[in-house]
Amino acid sequence: RQVVAESQRLEKMLRSDDLEGRVMSGTTAGAAVQLEDRIGIIDAQLARAGAQRYPSREVLGLWRERVQLLDALVSLQTTRTAYMGL
């Protein structure tokens, strides 16, 4: 449950007014898209896991990977924002 809560917290950060709608370079946008695509793959695996009753350790691994990807995306967004503000 902690991992799911952390995932929700990171998603909320990504949707915040501080990060949403900012201009970013093509390189940063490309990196963000790659992270978002990987998160989408994890989401699909989590959906399958629920339907097929994957073992809980596998589901936990997927959630942990999702949190890592979201954290990387938040870091990318915040670093870019901080840099753009210089």
Side-chain angles (χ1 to χ4, degrees):
R1 292 180 186 202
Q2 284 180 323
V3 180
V4 174
E6 179 65 7
S7 175
Q8 291 170 342
R9 184 187 72 79
L10 290 167
E11 284 191 36
K12 186 176 179 180
M13 285 179 68
L14 286 169
R15 288 190 305 267
S16 76
D17 291 337
D18 293 340
L19 295 180
E20 203 168 87
R22 302 273 179 143
V23 175
M24 64 177 78
S25 72
T27 302
T28 302
V33 167
Q34 287 180 350
L35 288 168
E36 290 169 355
D37 286 349
R38 290 174 60 195
I39 291 166
I41 291 168
I42 296 295
D43 287 346
Q45 291 173 322
L46 283 167
R48 256 192 321 272
Q52 296 178 358
R53 303 193 194 281
Y54 282 20
S56 61
R57 64 180 166 75
E58 290 181 32
V59 173
L60 181 59
L62 289 170
W63 276 107
R64 285 184 176 151
E65 186 175 353
R66 187 178 199 282
V67 166
Q68 289 173 342
L69 292 169
L70 283 169
D71 189 49
L73 188 56
V74 167
S75 293
L76 179 73
Q77 296 279 344
T78 353
T79 301
R80 177 193 48 80
T81 301
Y83 179 74
M84 296 291 282
L86 291 176

